[in-house]
């Protein structure tokens, strides 16, 4: 994105006023991208088949390209020489691990069984979404909300490591073991740890390496002042273009499923809305309670509330099939998550002035 408000200490109205036109009307662009994708999926015969013909790690190649384009500019903004200030913040790191790998999956499990007890496929799909912790789009929401870029990079990397190590184990626990203990009907999740590792390597490792090398080589060649004031504003908007392209392709792939089962979509949306509200608000309150500043509180909240829907969809399709209810639940995830987290960007900026007055002076 193109703004530089994180370092400026400006109040939210000033922050919003300084956003580029692209950033300022982000909800509109995202709404149009979602609508365009749904229309394309409905009106162009065979488009979904063509888009899925080539895949990386089980994810459509066009979506993969969009994700890489989306993440690269934001990771090029990260001050890699400041990462030690984040890794030394034990409050932030431990809170993030607790929220992402203990509370997040548990909250989604509870909501899925409470609100979708009679819909086994949708329930299982939502649990998979809850297990797939954020590694991608959260960087965009954090940047828009003026969160701590370096902290976001560290937490996303931490989540990625745990994703590889814990996703399959947690899937087995929440879909097989825990339902048995509670005398509920479970459904076993079969997922390859190597596939998850491959997804992490491609969708985080490639843009992270590109962003690091861009900053390293750019500062070495022309200096930090030129890099921050000249190069970053040029490549910044590319992240939004990648985001919008990804949304169009994602919804084009699933346009039929969403349009053909609108009531099922609404049914799945209810626990998702509750989940995002609980995780974001609870994480924000925790960050405030343990004394984190605005930037890191915001980063903690968005990294806890966001999910890696790309991985969730890939796992649901690979395990249960492209037409399964589990796959539909995965698809509804970004349908709800994208507009909700965009709205929470504006909520966060409003709370900045009220709850963190020191950052506005």
């Amino acid at each position: 994105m193109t703004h530089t408000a994180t370092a400026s200490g400006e109040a939210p109205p000033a922050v919003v006023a300084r956003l580029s036109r692209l950033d300022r009307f982000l909800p509109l662009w995202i709404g149009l991208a979602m609508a365009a994708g749904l229309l394309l999926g409905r009106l162009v015969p065979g488009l979904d088949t063509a888009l899925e013909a080539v895949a990386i790690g089980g994810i459509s190649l066009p979506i993969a390209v969009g994700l890489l384009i989306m993440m690269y500019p934001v990771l090029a903004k990260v001050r890699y020489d400041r990462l030690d200030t984040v890794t030394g913040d034990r409050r932030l790191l431990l809170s993030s691990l607790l929220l992402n790998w203990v509370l997040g999956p548990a909250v989604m499990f509870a909501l899925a069984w409470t609100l979708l007890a009679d819909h086994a496929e949708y329930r299982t799909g939502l649990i998979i979404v809850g297990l797939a912790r954020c590694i991608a789009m959260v960087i965009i929401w954090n940047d828009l909300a003026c969160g701590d870029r370096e902290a976001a990079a560290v937490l996303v990397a931490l989540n990625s490591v745990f994703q590889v190590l814990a996703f399959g184990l947690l899937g087995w626990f929440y879909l097989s073991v825990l339902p048995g203990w509670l005398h509920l009907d479970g459904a076993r999740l079969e997922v390859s740890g190597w596939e998850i590792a491959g997804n992490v390597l491609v969708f985080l490792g490639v843009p992270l390496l590109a962003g690091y090398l861009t900053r390293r080589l750019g500062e070495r060649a022309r200096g930090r002042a030129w890099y921050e004031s000249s190069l970053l504003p040029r490549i910044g908007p590319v992240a939004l273009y990648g985001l919008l392209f990804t949304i169009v392709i994602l919804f084009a792939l699933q346009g039929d499923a969403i349009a053909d089962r609108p009531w099922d979509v609404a049914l799945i949306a209810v626990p998702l809305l509750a989940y995002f509200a609980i995780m974001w608000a609870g994480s924000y309150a925790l960050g405030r309670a343990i004394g984190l500043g605005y930037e890191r509180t915001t980063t903690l909240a968005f990294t806890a509330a966001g999910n890696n829907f790309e991985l969730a969809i890939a796992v649901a399709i690979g395990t249960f099939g492209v037409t399964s209810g589990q796959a539909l639940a995965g698809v509804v995830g970004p349908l709800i998550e994208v507009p909700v987290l965009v709205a929470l960007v504006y909520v966060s900026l409003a709370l900045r002035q009220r709850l963190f007055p020191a950052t506005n002076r």
Side-chain angles (χ1 to χ4, degrees), residues 14 33 82 93 123 140 149 158 162 173 252 277 329:
R82 293 173 51 187
L93 297 181
R123 184 184 67 230
I140 300 290
R149 287 183 188 133
L158 192 63
F162 272 80
F173 176 76

Side-chain angles (χ1 to χ4, degrees), residues 31-84:
L32 292 174
M34 292 166 66
L38 290 172
L39 287 174
L40 282 173
R42 294 289 288 178
L43 299 177
V44 180
L47 179 62
D48 54 347
T49 303
L51 291 174
E52 290 180 329
V54 182
I56 295 179
I59 297 176
S60 168
L61 180 60
I63 290 181
V65 171
L67 289 171
L68 295 175
I69 294 173
M70 176 184 74
M71 293 180 66
Y72 160 68
V74 181
L75 290 171
K77 293 179 181 180
V78 171
R79 290 278 300 274
Y80 293 93
D81 57 342
R82 293 173 51 187
L83 293 184
D84 58 337

Side-chain angles (χ1 to χ4, degrees), residues 70-262:
M70 176 184 74
M71 293 180 66
Y72 160 68
V74 181
L75 290 171
K77 293 179 181 180
V78 171
R79 290 278 300 274
Y80 293 93
D81 57 342
R82 293 173 51 187
L83 293 184
D84 58 337
T85 66
V86 180
T87 56
D89 191 340
R90 292 186 178 180
R91 295 173 304 169
L92 176 67
L93 297 181
L94 292 177
S95 297
S96 180
L97 288 175
L98 174 67
L99 289 166
N100 274 287
W101 296 103
V102 178
L103 294 182
V107 167
M108 187 68 90
F109 177 87
L111 289 170
W113 273 100
T114 300
L115 299 175
L116 296 175
D118 298 327
H119 301 272
E121 290 190 356
Y122 299 156
R123 184 184 67 230
T124 299
L126 282 184
I127 293 173
I128 294 173
V129 171
L131 298 176
R133 310 311 301 170
C134 69
I135 68 165
M137 278 193 184
V138 69
I139 294 177
I140 300 290
W141 314 136
N142 177 76
D143 205 46
L144 281 169
C146 303
D148 188 318
R149 287 183 188 133
E150 287 70 39
V154 170
L155 295 185
V156 163
L158 192 63
N159 272 347
S160 300
V161 173
F162 272 80
Q163 196 92 271
V164 174
L165 299 176
F167 187 92
L169 179 62
L170 287 175
W172 168 74
F173 176 76
Y174 278 105
L175 293 175
S176 297
V177 177
L178 188 56
W181 288 351
L182 299 176
H183 304 291
L184 304 170
D185 293 326
R188 184 175 299 275
L189 175 65
E190 301 293 342
V191 59
S192 167
W194 290 110
E195 290 181 4
I196 297 173
N199 282 338
V200 170
L201 180 63
V202 172
F203 299 115
L204 177 64
V206 171
L208 181 63
L209 178 62
Y212 172 79
L213 290 177
T214 300
R215 177 173 281 277
R216 179 88 173 184
L217 298 176
E219 289 186 355
R220 180 180 296 176
R222 303 288 294 275
R224 175 162 293 176
W226 171 85
Y227 185 87
E228 298 280 354
S229 62
S230 297
L231 182 60
L232 286 184
R234 293 178 185 174
I235 65 176
V238 174
L240 179 54
Y241 302 145
L243 171 64
L244 296 178
F245 174 79
T246 303
I247 291 172
V248 169
I249 300 301
L250 180 65
F251 284 92
L253 279 168
Q254 303 297 336
D256 285 341
I258 293 172
D260 290 344
R261 291 187 271 179

Side-chain angles (χ1 to χ4, degrees), residues 340-351:
V340 167
L341 292 190
V342 169
L344 289 174
V345 167
Y346 292 91
V347 172
S348 186
L349 291 172
L351 290 176

